[in-house]
Amino acid sequence: MAPGPRPSRRVLLTGTAGLVAAGVGGVVLVDHLHSSSAVEEGSFRSVARGGVETAYAISRPAGTSSGLRLPVVVVLHGKGGSHRDAFDALDLQRVPRTPTPYAVASVDGGDSYWHHRHDGTDAGAMIASELLPRLADHGLDTTRLGLLGWSMGGYGALLLAGTLLRGKVRAVATMSAALWTAPGDSAPGAFDDAEDFRAHDVFALRSILDAQPLRMACGRSDPFVRANHAFVDGFASPPPADFAPGGHTDDYWRATAPGLLEFVSSRLI
């Protein structure tokens, strides 16, 4: 069973560290008590998502010089989530950023499964054409880019690495990637129809992703474990994959994320 909702950063900080306006593009600096880094938050109106106000967050290692152009790992949340989950639920701001210092960035993607939909919205294009330029404006080196995603975001990370961000991502890691082997098996709302499923089938991208540093993890009790096994087994050279005990829960992702971030960040040098 998944754990209950956790208090938001803003609730946790009420009466303690508080919020400090950073004064850069409306970004707010949130000081995490006892954490290894602070988290900056901002938002923009996304054309790719149909004009929706889209929030994002950036976490840098504590004590990092503002002039240092850090590589960045973009984190994609699961269905029903938001940019806050990377920090409120998974505590990624607490993960040590060694030996290679890097930033972690997250963004709202809605529940569109990070791909172009019939209504014209495209959360994947939002990352490629809107988020990455903003991260560069914040001083991050988006030429040294990694992706990490869980559940819906795991699927999205694979899709982006093989399509819109092909050749621009140095490493990808997924946790409990939301994968299905046939259109009829997919969750309601994941795709518009069978044609949409086939147009965005990450299984068909394995020949492209075969050259991409990739690591996957999925708990043995996770409903997506069979599809994750099938995905890995279909590679000419199967990527490293961890199928340890665990379910489709924040606890599993929180415990698994540090190792996957280490895998990705080691390739961002």
Side-chain angles (χ1 to χ4, degrees):
M1 179 181 297
R6 304 177 66 193
S8 72
R9 280 197 305 281
R10 296 178 188 272
V11 173
L12 286 171
L13 291 170
T14 300
T16 55
L19 301 178
V20 181
V24 180
V27 170
V28 171
L29 179 64
V30 182
D31 185 13
H32 287 263
L33 199 62
H34 308 307
S35 70
S36 59
S37 65
V39 177
E40 308 162 50
E41 293 189 73
S43 68
F44 59 94
R45 193 168 298 278
S46 171
V47 174
R49 294 187 62 213
V52 173
E53 192 70 18
T54 298
Y56 65 96
I58 302 169
S59 167
R60 309 173 196 255
T64 302
S65 168
S66 59
L68 181 63
R69 289 186 61 81
L70 295 171
V72 58
V73 179
V74 173
V75 177
L76 280 64
H77 64 74
K79 185 177 181 180
S82 76
H83 72 289
R84 299 175 67 94
D85 291 357
F87 308 110
D88 287 349
L90 271 60
D91 292 334
L92 298 188
Q93 76 281 2
R94 301 177 186 272
V95 176
R97 311 286 175 84
T98 57
T100 304
Y102 62 94
V104 173
S106 60
V107 65
D108 291 342
D111 290 338
S112 65
Y113 279 77
W114 303 101
H115 69 274
H116 184 271
R117 307 307 297 260
H118 287 178
D119 63 6
T121 60
D122 191 337
M126 174 272 292
I127 289 179
S129 64
E130 298 177 321
L131 178 67
L132 292 185
R134 281 173 171 79
L135 297 183
D137 288 344
H138 280 283
L140 301 181
D141 184 358
T142 56
T143 67
R144 293 187 290 162
L145 173 66
L147 295 177
L148 169 67
W150 68 94
S151 193
M152 178 184 80
Y155 161 82
L158 295 171
L159 182 68
L160 284 172
T163 56
L164 295 179
L165 296 180
R166 180 179 179 181
K168 299 179 180 180
V169 178
R170 296 201 180 184
V172 182
T174 70
M175 301 184 289
S176 311
L179 302 180
W180 300 274
T181 56
D185 297 335
S186 62
F191 302 93
D192 293 310
D193 50 33
E195 181 182 359
D196 185 41
F197 177 96
R198 287 188 287 269
H200 300 98
D201 180 11
V202 295
F203 282 76
L205 298 175
R206 284 179 294 196
S207 61
I208 295 172
L209 295 172
D210 197 38
Q212 173 76 69
L214 168 65
R215 189 178 190 94
M216 301 179 68
C218 191
R220 294 175 192 165
S221 302
D222 194 292
F224 292 115
V225 67
R226 289 187 180 181
N228 274 252
H229 265 295
F231 185 81
V232 169
D233 292 343
F235 277 84
S237 301
D242 304 314
F243 296 104
H248 206 77
T249 66
D250 286 353
D251 286 342
Y252 173 77
W253 301 325
R254 196 180 304 116
T256 306
L260 294 183
L261 281 173
E262 181 179 5
F263 168 83
V264 173
S265 65
S266 68
R267 287 152 178 82
L268 302 182
I269 300 173

